[in-house]
Amino acid sequence: MKLVTLVLCTSASGLILSPKTGTAALDAIMVRKYDSLPQPSNVIQAEYVWIDAIGGTRSKTRTLPASKSALSQLPKWNFDGSSTNQAPGDDSEVIIIPRASFPDPFRPQGKNIIVMCDCNTPGGEPIKTNTRAFAAELFAKHEAEEVWFGMEQEYTLFNLDQVTPLGWPAGGFPGPQGPYYCGAGPENMFGRAIGEAHYRACLYANIDISGTNGEVMPGQWEYQVGPCVGIDAGDQLWMSRYLLARVCEDFQVYCTLHPKPIVKGDWNGAGMHTNVSTKKMREEGGISVIKTAINKLAAKHKEHMAMYGEGNELRMTGALETSSMEEFSCGVANRGCSVRIGRDTEAEGKGYFEDRRPSSNCDPYIVSGKIMDTIMEDVEVPEIVLKNRELAMA
């Protein structure tokens, strides 16, 4: 007869750890025991991050010489693409090439880094899910334009059941929208600690995060990245999403980028409003360049909508601060339009415009590349009429 011994796991604080692995909070003292171990100064840990087949992020770690940690010195690596639906089993190797590097906020005890990579075949060709290559090719044609992007990423927090938004009663609904947007107090704000932790992680990683706020629907938050120039906007936004996933992992909270996570009732969806400004838009008389760009976007409305994220039709109904998915519109300070011109831009006659159509789960590489490609086209298009007609400018 075999002797079976039951071992009770205890933490450094002497408390018995929960046997419910994966959903229990990690014991902080036990974690610190290993985090406090000194790291050899001649090596670093590099976390290689890539985008998977369904628009999520994956990563794995390698040890590299500290003397060769500059982006230009980082080696290519590979992963098993058959396990991520990015390659067949009989030819499963996907090559990941470092494209951007950031300080690692989860390993602050050394000069460790997180590396944004794109995915390629062993022959050096971008694989189907490598949308960065699509954007990089477009941006390379217009480097002199210094296109700035500011991206407003909305997200919704849920309990681990992935059914109940954070702060909502199980099986029910909270009070109607109104007190939650930029609110305060335990009855209004759910998940602030997660937003704050993510903010600090982004700052440590040198992400150009410019702000954060609670959103209209309870349990929903937003942060802004930018202004960033060209392809850097997509690199930073994707890395910020990875950091958000890691923070939520630590807090054991589920985060979704679905554009309409709650379809029953009058609840706002989630988007990734994208602010755009070219060098000419920022110069005197730039408002005319802005209006010309918006006219070009209007002419390709359906083409853009097909590239602005899955499930967007659930969000863009023409209600709850959205425009209709079927019709392009533009207005000054009008958040019910496809594209908004800000009051400051109207008053100064230069600045930027905001494309409010991209969904929260859109691909920032595709969105930024497509917007730039459209507004840079040398074509004649019809002029649209602003919805705020009394504010329309000649």
Side-chain angles (χ1 to χ4, degrees):
M1 179 181 294
K2 294 182 179 180
L3 180 63
V4 179
T5 303
L6 178 64
V7 179
L8 292 177
C9 298
T10 59
S11 72
S13 59
L15 300 176
I16 295 178
L17 295 177
S18 168
K20 199 171 182 181
T21 305
T23 59
L26 293 173
D27 183 272
I29 296 177
M30 186 65 75
V31 171
R32 285 198 298 271
K33 175 181 177 180
Y34 298 100
D35 276 351
S36 62
L37 292 175
Q39 179 172 320
S41 60
N42 63 325
V43 296
I44 64 164
Q45 289 174 278
E47 191 79 18
Y48 277 42
V49 180
W50 69 92
I51 303 165
D52 67 15
I54 58 172
T57 50
R58 310 264 185 138
S59 71
K60 60 179 186 174
T61 314
R62 68 185 303 174
T63 305
L64 294 173
S67 60
K68 296 183 178 180
S69 60
L71 179 62
S72 61
Q73 297 173 305
L74 297 177
K76 299 176 185 178
W77 206 9
N78 66 78
F79 68 89
D80 172 17
S82 67
S83 295
T84 63
N85 292 319
Q86 290 172 285
D90 58 358
D91 188 14
S92 64
E93 195 165 285
V94 176
I95 309 301
I96 44 179
I97 301 177
R99 300 299 186 187
S101 178
F102 307 85
D104 187 344
F106 306 110
R107 298 183 178 116
Q109 66 274 34
K111 295 182 179 181
N112 304 304
I113 56 175
I114 301 184
V115 185
M116 194 69 223
C117 305
D118 67 1
C119 300
N120 302 269
T121 67
E125 294 296 319
I127 67 171
K128 184 178 179 180
T129 57
N130 183 351
T131 55
R132 189 187 190 279
F134 158 84
E137 184 177 348
L138 295 175
F139 281 115
K141 298 177 183 178
H142 303 284
E143 287 183 340
E145 291 294 337
E146 298 178 16
V147 187
W148 292 1
F149 292 95
M151 297 176 169
E152 306 172 20
Q153 177 67 69
E154 295 178 334
Y155 61 93
T156 309
L157 300 174
F158 278 73
N159 293 324
L160 284 180
D161 62 9
Q162 300 185 25
V163 173
T164 309
L166 211 61
W168 289 41
F173 296 90
Q177 294 184 159
Y180 311 111
Y181 173 69
C182 298
E187 74 281 13
N188 295 325
M189 307 310 291
F190 314 107
R192 187 186 296 276
I194 294 170
E196 288 292 324
H198 176 248
Y199 203 143
R200 293 296 295 272
C202 285
L203 288 173
Y204 185 92
N206 292 335
I207 299 290
D208 291 326
I209 186 169
S210 49
T212 189
N213 59 269
E215 267 302 331
V216 178
M217 188 181 87
Q220 191 178 83
W221 292 81
E222 175 191 298
Y223 65 91
Q224 304 88 34
V225 171
C228 302
V229 180
I231 195 71
D232 189 44
D235 289 338
Q236 291 205 34
L237 201 285
W238 270 115
M239 184 53 71
S240 75
R241 286 179 175 179
Y242 173 77
L243 298 184
L244 178 60
R246 288 285 303 273
V247 167
C248 287
E249 178 185 326
D250 284 345
F251 279 86
Q252 289 291 288
V253 169
Y254 174 71
C255 176
T256 180
L257 300 183
H258 194 285
K260 193 70 172 178
I262 303 295
V263 295
K264 184 178 179 180
D266 293 329
W267 304 103
N268 275 33
M272 194 196 77
H273 304 151
T274 302
N275 302 279
V276 184
S277 178
T278 66
K279 186 177 181 181
K280 291 180 180 178
M281 291 177 187
R282 298 188 292 274
E283 296 172 349
E284 293 301 320
I287 189 67
S288 64
V289 182
I290 291 171
K291 292 195 67 177
T292 298
I294 292 172
N295 292 335
K296 292 177 182 178
L297 291 173
K300 288 194 170 184
H301 176 62
K302 290 185 177 180
E303 195 173 311
H304 278 252
M305 292 312 310
M307 304 174 75
Y308 274 11
E310 295 184 10
N312 214 5
E313 70 282 356
L314 298 173
R315 163 181 164 259
M316 293 189 62
T317 62
L320 298 169
E321 297 186 69
T322 68
S323 60
S324 168
M325 189 162 178
E326 304 302 321
E327 179 185 0
F328 186 91
S329 57
C330 176
V332 175
N334 190 338
R335 283 178 164 78
C337 283
S338 307
V339 173
R340 178 180 68 90
I341 298 174
R343 290 277 188 213
D344 289 347
T345 295
E346 180 212 19
E348 295 176 12
K350 59 182 178 181
Y352 70 98
F353 66 86
E354 177 192 44
D355 191 338
R356 297 179 58 80
R357 297 172 295 171
S359 67
S360 49
N361 62 359
C362 72
D363 185 330
Y365 288 139
I366 292 178
V367 169
S368 58
K370 183 61 178 175
I371 290 176
M372 191 213 58
D373 191 46
T374 294
I375 66 177
M376 293 298 172
E377 284 187 325
D378 186 14
V379 293
E380 294 291 330
V381 293
E383 184 176 347
I384 67 167
V385 178
L386 297 186
K387 278 213 166 183
N388 300 59
R389 295 185 181 180
E390 75 281 4
L391 298 174
M393 303 187 69

